[in-house]
Amino acid sequence: MNSEKVLSGLIRNVYEAATDPRHWPVFLDSFAQAVQSLSVALIVQDLRNPRGNVSAGLGFDPLWERRYAEYYGGINVWVERAPHLFRPGMIPRSDHVTTDRELANTEFGHDFLRPQNHFYSYGAVLTQEASVISCITAMRSKSAGPFDDREVELLGELTPHLQSALRVHGRLASLENRLHGLSDALDHMAQGVMLVDSAG
């Protein structure tokens, strides 16, 4: 695998997704292939009231996404045991937080991860506002083994670009909302309005 070529392709996909959200699945697919992952997702999680919402995901059954949002996000053992690792720029690895035996014996591991053939996870924290974080996470099976240093390095190189892309995406979404608001206001005016420049 040509790591520089892979990284440049991922970065290109990230910035395409920043301006057009329909490209997030393309980025997630290429990232999943690069790190040999079954499933990847962009997740928003509240560390004080831990419920997680998958903003964009690949390889996750919508039923399990809903169960994570409604219940399992609140008992995510990785978040519970290592809240200090969930800060922007950090790249937590599940095998550094729990042993295989500990994870398998938790409700989160046994009832949520095992039915999906998930066991190892790693990811990067992208943003934090108060107790709410956004992160990218990748999952794979126990037989595939934990994520290694090369994969951590790849995500480390990618993280600043993901953070920039999310900022761009947020600004564009804010502008779109303002434009929709102005358009709605004009639509509801009782009189007609003309907008002209200094030349009429």
Side-chain angles (χ1 to χ4, degrees):
M1 174 175 75
N2 185 328
S3 58
E4 288 188 11
K5 184 177 180 181
V6 169
L7 178 61
S8 65
L10 287 168
I11 291 171
R12 182 176 63 252
N13 287 335
V14 162
Y15 287 112
E16 287 176 354
T19 56
D20 185 349
R22 292 173 298 180
H23 283 277
W24 281 117
V26 175
F27 162 71
L28 291 174
D29 182 56
S30 58
F31 178 63
Q33 292 181 44
V35 299
Q36 300 174 25
S37 174
L38 290 172
S39 311
V40 294
L42 289 168
I43 295 175
V44 177
Q45 179 115 21
D46 189 335
L47 298 177
R48 274 201 303 248
N49 179 25
R51 291 287 187 269
N53 291 303
V54 176
S55 299
L58 179 80
F60 288 97
D61 184 322
L63 172 65
W64 286 106
E65 287 184 20
R66 188 168 67 252
R67 288 177 175 173
Y68 185 82
E70 293 173 352
Y71 178 70
Y72 289 102
I75 60 166
N76 184 332
V77 65
W78 298 320
V79 175
E80 287 177 353
R81 295 199 182 180
H84 61 285
L85 294 178
F86 289 85
R87 300 288 180 268
M90 302 284 286
I91 303 179
R93 289 169 52 175
S94 63
D95 58 307
H96 288 185
V97 176
T98 61
T99 67
D100 290 1
R101 177 178 288 185
E102 286 173 331
L103 179 61
N105 287 330
T106 64
E107 181 182 1
F108 181 74
H110 188 270
D111 294 349
F112 179 73
L113 297 177
R114 188 179 60 85
Q116 300 179 80
N117 196 27
H118 292 162
F119 195 83
Y120 294 109
S121 174
Y122 96 130
V125 181
L126 304 174
T127 64
Q128 181 173 20
E129 293 184 21
S131 64
V132 178
I133 62 169
S134 66
C135 55
I136 182 170
T137 187
M139 311 282 295
R140 65 186 181 205
S141 67
K142 188 174 184 178
S143 62
F147 292 90
D148 62 29
D149 291 342
R150 287 180 301 107
E151 290 157 335
V152 170
E153 184 179 349
L154 175 67
L155 187 51
E157 296 274 0
L158 192 58
T159 294
H161 299 284
L162 278 163
Q163 290 169 324
S164 296
L166 288 179
R167 284 194 294 269
V168 169
H169 179 75
R171 287 177 186 145
L172 290 175
S174 176
L175 284 172
E176 280 188 13
N177 287 338
R178 286 170 61 189
L179 286 172
H180 285 309
L182 288 171
S183 176
D184 286 345
L186 289 172
D187 286 343
H188 286 87
M189 291 186 73
Q191 293 85 21
V193 175
M194 292 181 63
L195 300 176
V196 297
D197 63 13
S198 58

